Amino acid sequence: MIIGVPKEIKTLENRVGLTPAHCADLIKTGHKLIVETKAGEGSGFSDNEYKNAGAQICQASDVYREADLVVKVKEPLETEYALIRKGQTIFTYFHFASSRQLTEAMIKSGAVCISYETVEKSDRSLPLLVPMSEVAGRMAVQKGANYLEKHNHGRGILLGGVPGVPPANVVILGAGIVGANAAKMAAGLGARVTIMDINLTRLRQLDDIMPANVTTLFSSQSNVNEAVKTADLIIGAILVPGAKAPILITREMLKTMKPGTVLVDVAVDQGGCIETCKPTTHENPTYIVDGIVHYCVANMPGAVPFTSTLALTNVTFPYVCQIASKGWQKACKENQELKLGLNVVNGQIVYKKISEAFDLPYSEVEQHLG
């Protein structure tokens, strides 16, 4: 199979879909690798390293024209839509439920779209989201601490405080991978942390393992309303696989917060769990609404690409091998995890939550597996 790796074009996105080492492994098993020039540069991998691995270096148009399977990191942007062709398999993060434009473009393309974020194990875990959620959860606290500084329009608060001065209050909405990693980081810096979720079993687990400065709280609307009033940093860490995140913080609630409070919405690539959230970039990461600082970068792990690329490709590579060696149909028929990653196939939506998000026709995935 011909496997293509394009350079990511999202603003300051420096991750890459495959490393030179992974390319070498695929080439050894008989596949052809074509890699866009400078695709790995941001993650520390040169064109020469890909060449030495046996890959062919080319332009973006060549990658999309020749490749049977395209392995990316982020969703295709508008300038890439026309490059994607019918029957081509695209394996990447899509987050379709947050963009009707992207959904309709991929339907029109006739491509087979397999989404990292909906590949799901039998225990309901999301193996291709976990490493990036770990990175984003830890980064959320780093970024939040930075934007709490006065010159960044924050409240001028040190996250951990000092002797005689109380630490910051951190509220985390969601106790999944992002939330748990954010809680660990914030607690380690000495903040007072409240982590909220509707899953009491998960809250009990975290209550047992988190340090004493982390409090678990059931995520009722009234509890959220009260918690945000005293928060200095609020981290949105809500995930509904394949669907748009629910809104937990409305614009009206901003008026109850202290000026200079910082909101970090890690759920922004799924539409965000904060009503005033809109995607930002690493180039212009923040904006202010009603005196509240919003940090809503949709590709947070892209700021630490060396770590993120290695963490991501460690988990995506086995699935890439299956698709490459068997073709997408056989691979998805034999692997239920990968089958759940199918979102759009040959011009039809095959993932129900996406069709529901936009009220678009839904097609049973089995009809496309041959």
Side-chain angles (χ1 to χ4, degrees), residues 141 145 148-149 155-170 185-193 213 232-233:
V141 175
L148 274 172
E149 295 175 9
R155 298 196 64 233
I157 289 179
L158 182 65
L159 208 62
V162 292
V165 180
N169 290 320
V170 177
M185 288 289 285
L189 289 170
R192 291 184 297 209
V193 182
N213 55 330
D232 301 299
L233 169 61

Side-chain angles (χ1 to χ4, degrees), residues 262-278:
V262 175
L263 303 179
V264 178
D265 197 344
V266 184
V268 65
D269 52 10
Q270 284 290 100
C273 63
I274 298 166
E275 185 178 14
T276 46
C277 151
K278 61 181 180 182

Side-chain angles (χ1 to χ4, degrees), residues 1-4 63-64 66-70 85 87-90:
M1 183 177 281
I2 301 175
I3 304 167
V63 170
Y64 285 101
E66 295 184 33
D68 305 303
L69 167 64
V70 174
R85 53 186 172 77
Q88 192 169 53
T89 302
I90 312 293

